[in-house]
Amino acid sequence: MATDPSVMVDMMKKQLTGMLPQFAMGWVVNFFFQGFVIGKVPFPLSPRFRPMLQRGLDLSSLDVSYCTSLSYYILLLFGLRGLFSLVFREDAVDESQAMRAQMNPMAANPMGFDAETAFKTERTSLPQVDHEWDLDSAEERVLQMLRKD
């Protein structure tokens, strides 16, 4: 695969078509909204989010829930991933599933795995415990404590 130049060119074209809309969106947001506070997150945040949401502004008196243009671009970058995959007809691959497949090759191809037998063995190996609720006799214990006083 790595020795075939046409495969490498195709991979490069796919990467380039994915990067061009991101560059264009970043340029538009930076051109029109540079240095402005352009949005507010609809929920309260702790002050630790200030460097992430207020990049480029050094106002300590500004509420943390307001965000700048660069932060807005990053929110758009991750929020519009599904729209871009629809517009550019890319097959959206679940990145977490790809990472799991890389970490555990057997998880990607579970041919020899039988879930029912695995659950049966786990069920038999767990010790059986009879649970007694402490709240069942709570009223009686409280009454006994109050009668002693």
Side-chain angles (χ1 to χ4, degrees):
M1 179 175 132
T3 58
D4 188 11
S6 64
V7 173
M8 287 190 273
V9 169
D10 289 339
M11 288 182 356
M12 187 182 238
K13 284 180 185 176
K14 286 183 182 179
Q15 290 295 323
L16 188 62
T17 58
M19 287 173 28
L20 285 178
Q22 303 304 327
F23 286 143
M25 187 173 57
W27 179 81
V28 166
V29 168
N30 195 26
F31 180 78
F32 286 112
F33 304 111
Q34 185 175 13
F36 288 100
V37 175
I38 61 167
K40 183 177 180 183
V41 180
F43 43 85
L45 294 170
S46 69
R48 291 185 179 187
F49 286 96
R50 186 179 305 276
M52 182 175 70
L53 288 176
Q54 296 178 358
R55 177 91 42 198
L57 287 180
D58 293 330
L59 297 174
S60 61
S61 61
L62 186 62
D63 187 26
V64 179
S65 60
Y66 290 97
C67 65
T68 60
S69 63
L70 183 61
S71 303
Y72 184 64
Y73 165 71
I74 292 171
L75 290 173
L76 286 177
L77 176 75
F78 292 110
L80 295 178
R81 183 179 298 164
L83 180 67
F84 282 147
S85 67
L86 287 175
V87 170
F88 294 108
R89 299 202 184 269
E90 297 174 1
D91 293 329
V93 177
D94 186 13
E95 293 173 0
S96 62
Q97 183 180 4
M99 283 190 278
R100 272 187 254 126
Q102 288 176 354
M103 296 296 284
N104 187 1
M106 285 301 292
N109 190 8
M111 292 195 45
F113 180 71
D114 187 16
E116 189 169 333
T117 57
F119 285 133
K120 282 182 183 177
T121 57
E122 286 296 321
R123 192 178 308 129
T124 57
S125 67
L126 288 175
Q128 295 293 326
V129 176
D130 291 331
H131 183 73
E132 295 181 17
W133 292 94
D134 286 338
L135 295 178
D136 283 343
S137 61
E139 294 91 3
E140 290 86 13
R141 287 183 293 173
V142 168
L143 287 174
Q144 287 177 358
M145 288 174 42
L146 292 175
R147 287 181 188 154
K148 287 181 183 178
D149 289 341

